[in-house]
Amino acid sequence: MIASLTGVVSHVTLDRAVLDVGGVGYLVLATPATLAGLRVGQEAHLATTLVVREDSMTLYGFADAAEREIFETAQSVSGVGPRIALAMLAVHTPDALRRAVATEDVKALTRVPGIGAKGAQRIVLELSGKLGAPGSEAPTGAAPAAAAPGDRRDQVVEALVGLGWTAKVAEDAVATVLADAGAEAVAETEVASTLRAALRSLGGRRG
């Protein structure tokens, strides 16, 4: 298994990046929050896992090992594949997911696109005791670079549109999150945290 990659970022889109490692370009799927921390032309390090299917081999990248562990463990739940596991990490941090499972917070889990009430209940049941205790997340790796408020707004709106929301819904959600944060907080909030807050406010809605 390819457990990690360190290389120069040669391409970034809404759902994937290409890392040049020793002249070989590795295509990696990742959450918008992880991708927001990558910059073309700069070196990056990602924890990775390789998902092998009969007709494909797909590499997934994560900001740290904690995210990778959640991604892999979540797929032990019946009906949860790589797409939903990645969506879980797009909406919640690893520690937030631990807390949701530990407290049986079905509502928090249904904010993830693709997870309904029954699916959330199954996740709570099947992941109980498997994710570790809330608060066990240790910070690893460098934090994504902060963006200016205007740049951050555009990046988050673009990411939400890529995840399936319309531009109008995405713009309204981001405006609400930034307004709630306040002027001083806005200047310091990173793209990743703004994106997660917008995803939580949207839940499973589309339109």
Side-chain angles (χ1 to χ4, degrees), residues 69-189:
E69 181 180 358
I70 295 290
F71 176 82
E72 293 174 346
T73 304
Q75 291 177 73
S76 67
V77 177
S78 176
V80 175
R83 183 184 64 82
I84 291 181
L86 198 64
M88 290 170 66
L89 288 166
V91 176
H92 298 293
T93 65
D95 203 52
L97 287 170
R98 293 190 191 98
R99 189 176 303 109
V101 170
T103 61
E104 300 184 5
D105 189 350
V106 171
K107 185 177 179 181
L109 293 171
T110 57
R111 295 191 185 108
V112 178
I115 297 179
K118 290 184 178 179
Q121 291 169 358
R122 187 164 57 247
I123 287 171
V124 168
L125 178 65
E126 296 188 27
L127 290 186
S128 179
K130 294 182 179 180
L131 300 183
S136 61
E137 181 177 359
T140 58
D151 292 340
R152 181 173 62 257
R153 180 190 296 269
D154 292 343
Q155 289 179 37
V156 176
V157 168
E158 186 179 9
L160 290 172
V161 171
L163 288 172
W165 283 272
T166 65
K168 178 64 167 61
V169 170
E171 289 169 358
D172 289 347
V174 175
T176 299
V177 168
L178 295 181
D180 290 345
E184 292 184 2
V186 165
E188 299 174 356
T189 302

Side-chain angles (χ1 to χ4, degrees), residues 12-64:
V12 180
T13 66
L14 294 174
D15 63 348
R16 64 195 63 197
V18 176
L19 263 63
D20 188 326
V21 182
V24 178
Y26 289 85
L27 177 66
V28 182
L29 302 186
T31 66
T34 296
L35 295 167
L38 304 181
R39 299 290 181 270
V40 173
Q42 295 185 9
E43 186 173 88
H45 175 81
L46 294 176
T48 60
T49 188
L50 183 65
V51 175
V52 179
R53 297 287 187 262
E54 288 185 3
D55 58 348
S56 67
M57 291 192 298
T58 307
L59 194 61
Y60 292 85
F62 310 92
D64 53 42

Side-chain angles (χ1 to χ4, degrees), residues 184-195:
E184 292 184 2
V186 165
E188 299 174 356
T189 302
E190 296 173 353
V191 171
S193 57
T194 305
L195 176 60

